[in-house]
């Protein structure tokens, strides 16, 4: 699979994908126009230089007119100054255009990604696209900020220098143009193999880096299995392969540059030789020969730089193709053209009506004709064996997916009729493994309500039984937590998530209780916090704790995507069915 994807990404790039930039470039048209002016001025100044040099040599040196030579020198300094100024302006303008275009593009792609349904991120293609996002935008920036201007400048210079070469000496030009194919053909042919080898080296390097990233990510598993030595050996082998491949690429590149230097220099010597004969024979002035040589060198270096541009532009085309693919994706869960307004204030009603659902790419149904409704303020516990579909019910309630059959209703409005943000406003979720962001504790709690005051945040933390441990953190509410900050225990993370839900104060609460056991003190604190959070709120909880099911108004028992029993704890226990068996097994209650 990865193999096929790798091959496609290396296929001939589709240059039409560069059209993705058009709207971004249009927004920068003034700067681009100014950059073009600077670029043309700099190129013209460079093209004028050889004429000034010829004048200095012919009039000054050969003609012996010192005064005139001096004024040509002054002119030369003027031209050089214009060249310098225009080059600086071009560099600044082109770089900022590139940065601006890429910044807007990056922001758009990211905004778009945040709107896509979670199912998109489950696919391997998504992983590939997202992980290349940074590399792709960087590639595009370098193409815009330097390659485009290098291409344009060198195209102007190459054309200008070639035309002026012909104007300076048609005979010498004919010789130069005759030898160009002798230089270019072998270079282009060997260039292909160099590029192929360079790509192989890059692939090996990418494999080695991916291996290292995976190993470091799984450092605990690796060390606990005593697999450090074996992992290092595998990395070393991958790294050696990368070295061998890059040595091959470097060797062919070295050979290529040697051949190129020889061919180019030998042709310059030949031309110089022929030119010198003409000077000796009095058919050409020394200054004119110098002018010609300067134009030839300019043309050669411009053409040389142009040849490198193709690779860069095709890489940018590949990168923009991938970004364009993201931008072209239509979110599966989007607002309809005329969304139905949700009633205000919220009633806090949630209902599943004959809902059938299977995950994308899965044949088996996760939910079969599921129907239930929760009245405002009611507390419902979902129980059932692993894989029964309990978490799926929460995901559908939040519209991370839409069902293939039936409908999910909130406050009398069906999912597809509503605006997704307005819909999700009505829910607060406390997941099994809460996410803690790498920001302060305060910002973590205020995540669901960014404008919340310090008092509101503290009040939410108190209700979630989190205030105590937060105050003991090194910088209290300002402590940075998460991967780069202070590590929180499982129970602390849960209480932080509960505080976040308290602050959001949504009418419907979705809870996925943690299956992993906490120590009894944390367990108590979390349970108390949850009780306070659930009070008076419509609650749907995937229950793993006895206390939770005992306090539920109603229990829905799920098995293989269906509700097989429902009722109160006492009724279900008395029935002696699946619930009674689960209660005995999971919750340690005697089966009736
Ligand atoms: N993202 C997904 N993509 C594909 N299939 C999934 C996905 N998530 C869950 N499933 C499948 O859907 C079915 C129901 O899973 P679900 O997670 O809802 O069960 P659960 O009752 O919550 O289980 P547990 O108690 O173990 O968390 C399972 O067969 C599972 O393999």
């Amino acid at each position: 699979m990865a193999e096929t994807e790798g091959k496609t990404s290396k296929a001939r790039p589709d240059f039409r994908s560069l059209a993705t930039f058009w709207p971004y470039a249009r927004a920068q048209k003034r700067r681009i126009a100014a950059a073009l002016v600077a670029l043309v001025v700099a190129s013209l100044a460079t093209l004028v230089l050889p004429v000034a040099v010829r004048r200095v040599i012919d009039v000054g040196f050969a003609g012996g007119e010192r005064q005139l030579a001096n004024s040509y020198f002054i002119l030369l300094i003027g031209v050089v100054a214009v060249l310098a100024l225009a080059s600086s302006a071009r560099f600044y303008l082109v770089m900022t255009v590139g940065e601006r275009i890429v910044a807007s593009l990056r922001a758009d792609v990211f905004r778009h990604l945040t709107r896509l349904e979670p199912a998109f991120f489950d696919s391997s293609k998504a992983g590939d696209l997202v992980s290349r996002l940074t590399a792709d935008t960087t590639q595009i920036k370098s193409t815009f900020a330097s390659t485009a201007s290098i291409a344009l400048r060198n195209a102007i210079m190459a054309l200008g220098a070639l035309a002026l070469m012909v104007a300076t000496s048609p005979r010498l030009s004919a010789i130069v143009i005759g030898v160009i194919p002798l230089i270019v053909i072998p270079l282009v042919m060997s260039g292909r193999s160099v590029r192929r080898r360079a790509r192989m080296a890059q692939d090996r390097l990418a494999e080695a880096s991916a291996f290292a990233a995976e190993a470091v990510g799984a450092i605990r598993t690796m060390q606990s299995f005593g697999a450090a030595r074996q992992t290092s050996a595998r990395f070393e082998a991958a790294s050696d392969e990368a070295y061998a491949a890059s040595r091959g690429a470097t060797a062919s590149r070295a050979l290529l540059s040697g051949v190129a230097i020889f061919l180019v220099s030998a042709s310059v010597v030949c031309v110089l030789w022929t030119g010198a004969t003409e000077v000796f024979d009095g058919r050409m002035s020394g200054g004119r020969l110098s002018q010609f040589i300067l134009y030839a060198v300019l043309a050669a270096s411009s053409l040389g730089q142009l040849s490198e541009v193709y690779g860069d532009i095709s890489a940018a085309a590949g990168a923009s193709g991938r970004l364009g693919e993201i931008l072209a994706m239509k979110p599966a869960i989007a607002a309809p053209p005329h969304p139905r307004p949700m009633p205000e204030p919220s009633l806090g009603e949630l209902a599943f009506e004959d809902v059938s659902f299977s995950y994308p790419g899965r044949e088996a149904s996760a939910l079969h004709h599921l129907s239930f409704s929760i009245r405002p303020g009611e507390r419902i516990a979902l129980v059932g064996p692993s894989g029964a579909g309990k978490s799926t019910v929460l995901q559908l309630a939040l519209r991370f997916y839409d069902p293939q059959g039936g409908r999910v209703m909130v406050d009398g409005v069906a999912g597809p009729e509503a605006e997704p943000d307005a819909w999700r406003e009505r829910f607060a979720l406390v997941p099994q493994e809460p996410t803690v962001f790498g920001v302060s504790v305060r910002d973590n709690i205020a995540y669901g309500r960014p404008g919340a005051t310090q008092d509101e945040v503290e009040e939410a933390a108190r209700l979630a039984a989190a205030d105590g441990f937060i105050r003991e953190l090194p910088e209290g509410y300002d402590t940075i937590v998460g991967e780069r900050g202070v590590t929180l225990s499982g129970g602390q993370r849960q209480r932080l998530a509960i505080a976040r839900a308290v602050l959001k104060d949504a009418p419907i609460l979705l809870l996925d209780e943690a299956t992993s056991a906490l120590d009894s003190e944390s367990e108590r604190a979390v349970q108390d916090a949850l009780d306070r959070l659930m009070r008076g709120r419509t609650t749907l909880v995937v229950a793993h704790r006895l206390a939770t099911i005992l306090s539920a108004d109603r229990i829905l028992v799920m098995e293989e995507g269906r509700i097989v029993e429902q009722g109160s704890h006492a009724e279900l226990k008395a029935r002696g069915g699946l619930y009674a068996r689960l209660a005995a097994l999971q919750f340690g209650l005697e089966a009736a």
Side-chain angles (χ1 to χ4, degrees):
M1 179 70 193
E3 183 77 353
T4 353
E5 276 174 10
K7 274 185 188 144
T8 359
S9 67
K10 273 169 219 153
R12 191 171 278 275
D14 182 0
F15 288 99
R16 277 172 305 182
S17 64
L18 290 172
T20 314
F21 301 120
W22 185 237
Y24 299 94
R26 270 224 319 237
Q28 299 287 323
K29 54 177 182 274
R30 284 227 192 113
R31 263 169 189 266
I32 293 179
L36 281 178
V37 170
L39 192 137
V40 170
V41 170
S43 309
L44 290 181
T46 314
L47 289 173
V48 164
L49 279 178
V51 179
V53 169
R54 186 188 91 196
R55 288 301 198 168
V56 166
I57 294 175
D58 282 355
V59 179
F61 297 164
E65 293 191 45
R66 206 178 188 142
Q67 210 53 29
L68 208 53
N70 283 345
S71 47
Y72 277 121
F73 270 121
I74 291 168
L75 181 71
L76 206 55
I77 288 184
V79 173
V80 175
V82 170
L83 171 65
L85 263 178
S87 299
S88 292
R90 174 192 60 86
F91 181 78
Y92 175 76
L93 289 165
V94 163
M95 279 303 225
T96 48
V97 163
E99 299 273 4
R100 280 178 186 214
I101 288 178
V102 170
S104 329
L105 181 67
R106 205 166 31 207
D108 278 0
V109 170
F110 188 74
R111 187 178 319 118
H112 197 74
L113 275 177
T114 60
R115 298 261 175 272
L116 291 175
E117 63 283 0
F120 164 76
F121 296 91
D122 294 341
S123 67
S124 58
K125 183 159 175 66
D128 191 37
L129 285 175
V130 175
S131 68
R132 300 187 69 148
L133 192 63
T134 325
D136 281 345
T137 41
T138 310
Q139 171 69 50
I140 288 167
K141 188 179 80 187
S142 88
T143 302
F144 261 93
S146 64
T147 312
S149 88
I150 290 178
L152 211 59
R153 188 186 60 192
N154 287 301
I156 296 178
M157 300 265 275
L159 284 178
L162 282 173
L164 290 165
M165 261 168 69
V166 176
T168 311
S169 166
R171 244 171 62 81
L172 286 183
S173 304
I175 300 178
V176 171
I177 290 165
V179 296
I180 282 177
L182 296 182
I183 301 175
V184 170
I185 292 171
L187 292 188
V188 167
M189 280 168 55
S190 47
R192 260 188 221 135
S193 103
V194 169
R195 274 200 297 277
R196 203 187 56 244
R197 279 161 180 266
R199 209 149 52 204
M200 261 165 53
Q202 267 172 10
D203 286 353
R204 295 290 89 77
L205 195 63
E207 280 164 20
S209 327
F211 180 79
E214 191 190 65
V216 171
I219 191 88
R220 289 186 173 78
T221 315
M222 178 176 52
Q223 291 183 352
S224 69
F225 279 89
R229 186 184 307 208
Q230 159 203 340
T231 311
S232 301
R234 280 181 57 197
F235 180 72
E236 229 164 273
S239 174
D240 282 350
E241 265 183 46
Y243 168 68
S246 79
R247 199 179 52 182
T250 310
S252 37
R253 195 167 267 186
L255 187 68
L256 182 64
S257 75
V259 171
I261 289 174
F262 176 76
L263 288 176
V264 171
S265 314
S267 342
V268 170
V269 172
C270 288
V271 172
L272 201 58
W273 196 351
T274 321
T277 320
E278 297 213 346
V279 175
F280 283 134
D281 295 348
R283 275 181 289 153
M284 193 192 236
S285 72
R288 188 171 280 269
L289 177 62
S290 311
Q291 177 180 332
F292 181 84
I293 298 285
L294 285 176
Y295 280 135
V297 170
L298 267 183
S301 76
S302 305
L303 287 172
Q305 290 189 38
L306 269 181
S307 70
E308 287 175 13
V309 159
Y310 175 82
D312 260 4
I313 292 190
S314 51
S320 65
R322 285 186 290 272
L323 296 181
E325 219 175 297
I326 296 182
L327 286 173
M329 270 166 204
K330 295 259 176 295
I333 314 278
H338 304 289
R340 218 177 117 185
M342 315 271 299
E344 287 294 347
S346 170
L347 313 169
E349 275 176 8
L350 174 66
F352 274 53
E353 294 180 356
D354 199 30
V355 168
S356 294
F357 173 71
S358 46
Y359 282 97
R362 284 273 184 110
E363 292 256 317
S365 289
L367 301 179
H368 301 270
H369 302 286
L370 200 75
S371 293
F372 67 87
S373 62
I374 314 181
R375 289 184 298 279
E378 199 181 11
R379 193 181 295 185
I380 301 282
L382 276 178
V383 298
S386 179
K390 305 176 297 284
S391 308
T392 306
V393 169
L394 299 194
Q395 304 225 40
L396 261 61
L398 281 165
R399 292 194 69 204
F400 290 156
Y401 304 87
D402 271 345
Q404 286 91 9
R407 47 189 202 162
V408 180
M409 313 275 290
V410 165
D411 294 341
V413 177
E417 299 171 339
E419 213 278 311
D421 285 347
W423 177 279
R424 292 183 187 133
E425 273 283 285
R426 315 233 142 173
F427 291 95
L429 168 73
V430 180
Q432 233 184 59
E433 285 175 13
T435 306
V436 172
F437 296 98
V439 293
S440 68
V441 170
R442 178 187 305 105
D443 290 346
N444 260 294
I445 296 177
Y447 191 70
R449 188 138 67 86
T453 63
Q454 176 68 16
D455 283 349
E456 289 169 329
V457 169
E458 285 183 21
E459 176 62 21
R462 258 192 299 280
L463 278 167
D467 188 61
F469 85 78
I470 293 173
R471 289 191 186 282
E472 282 170 18
L473 291 173
E475 287 165 62
Y477 282 85
D478 290 319
T479 312
I480 305 290
V481 284
E483 262 182 38
R484 282 162 212 269
V486 173
T487 310
L488 298 179
S489 74
Q492 290 170 337
R493 272 205 303 275
Q494 280 171 10
R495 280 178 278 163
L496 209 61
I498 294 169
R500 194 182 282 161
V502 169
L503 191 61
K504 185 170 179 194
D505 193 25
I508 307 174
L509 179 66
L510 300 177
L511 253 168
D512 203 345
E513 273 190 341
T515 38
S516 52
L518 299 172
D519 62 74
S520 49
E521 197 180 329
S522 296
E523 172 92 33
R524 180 82 254 138
V526 169
Q527 197 58 52
D528 289 348
L530 283 176
D531 275 341
R532 277 195 288 272
L533 176 61
M534 290 190 275
R535 205 163 294 153
R537 235 181 272 268
T538 309
T539 304
L540 180 59
V541 46
V542 174
H544 293 291
R545 293 195 183 90
L546 180 61
T548 315
I549 45 172
L550 290 180
S551 71
D553 297 316
R554 197 151 42 107
I555 300 162
L556 303 181
V557 187
M558 288 188 72
E559 187 180 31
E560 295 182 356
R562 295 180 174 84
I563 293 176
V564 289
E565 292 172 3
Q566 58 176 305
S568 71
H569 170 69
E571 287 164 7
L572 290 172
K573 210 176 130 199
R575 188 185 285 187
L578 176 61
Y579 178 80
R581 286 200 301 280
L582 278 174
L585 275 171
Q586 274 189 7
F587 310 117
L589 280 184
E590 280 304 307

